[in-house]
Amino acid sequence: GKHRVVIPCLGHFKEEYEKISKLYMNNRIRTTKYTLLNFLPRNLFEQFHRVANLYFLFLVVLNWVPLVEAFQKEITMLPLVGVLTIIAVKDGLEDYSRYKMDKQINNLLTKVYSR
């Protein structure tokens, strides 16, 4: 069967530890949804799964057609941009608090049972 080799990360074992530890997943907790690179595209993707946001996007696109234009283009975009911005800030703050909690949990001292 399979077995796992555990090598202490001390002194002359350090090189061997680094070589073997790359083969295994770490046991860090990560409950965050976003990273700095994927926050904007992933957040917009999630927000446009809401029917209300799609409706406002439809109105913005429809208002860009000269024959159907009812209001100024910028005024039609304000409600959509406002709602998207507020929700993005809220999601970002929630994710940051999850990140801080994950960091706190991952840095806790643990006790290991040893005979």
Side-chain angles (χ1 to χ4, degrees), residues 17-49:
Y17 170 78
E18 289 174 354
K19 185 175 82 173
I20 290 178
S21 66
K22 291 178 184 177
L23 302 173
Y24 300 103
M25 296 291 295
N26 62 21
N27 62 350
R28 291 194 174 275
I29 294 173
R30 183 175 179 263
T31 59
T32 57
K33 279 190 201 177
Y34 309 108
T35 64
L36 288 176
L37 295 175
N38 74 0
F39 176 75
L40 190 62
R42 188 167 182 184
N43 188 270
L44 288 174
F45 178 76
E46 289 178 4
Q47 287 193 45
F48 281 115
H49 273 82

Side-chain angles (χ1 to χ4, degrees), residues 43-110:
N43 188 270
L44 288 174
F45 178 76
E46 289 178 4
Q47 287 193 45
F48 281 115
H49 273 82
R50 297 184 181 125
V51 177
N53 291 344
L54 285 175
Y55 172 74
F56 282 110
L57 180 64
F58 174 73
L59 288 180
V60 168
V61 170
L62 191 62
N63 205 34
W64 282 86
V65 177
L67 294 173
V68 188
E69 183 178 345
F71 305 107
Q72 290 180 353
K73 296 172 185 148
E74 296 81 17
I75 291 176
T76 309
M77 291 173 42
L78 283 178
L80 180 64
V81 170
V83 168
L84 293 179
T85 303
I86 290 170
I87 294 174
V89 168
K90 178 191 70 83
D91 288 345
L93 290 174
E94 287 176 357
D95 206 55
Y96 181 69
S97 67
R98 276 190 235 113
Y99 167 76
K100 288 193 317 188
M101 186 63 75
D102 291 347
K103 190 173 180 182
Q104 182 181 6
I105 290 172
N106 287 329
N107 290 327
L108 286 175
L109 290 177
T110 58

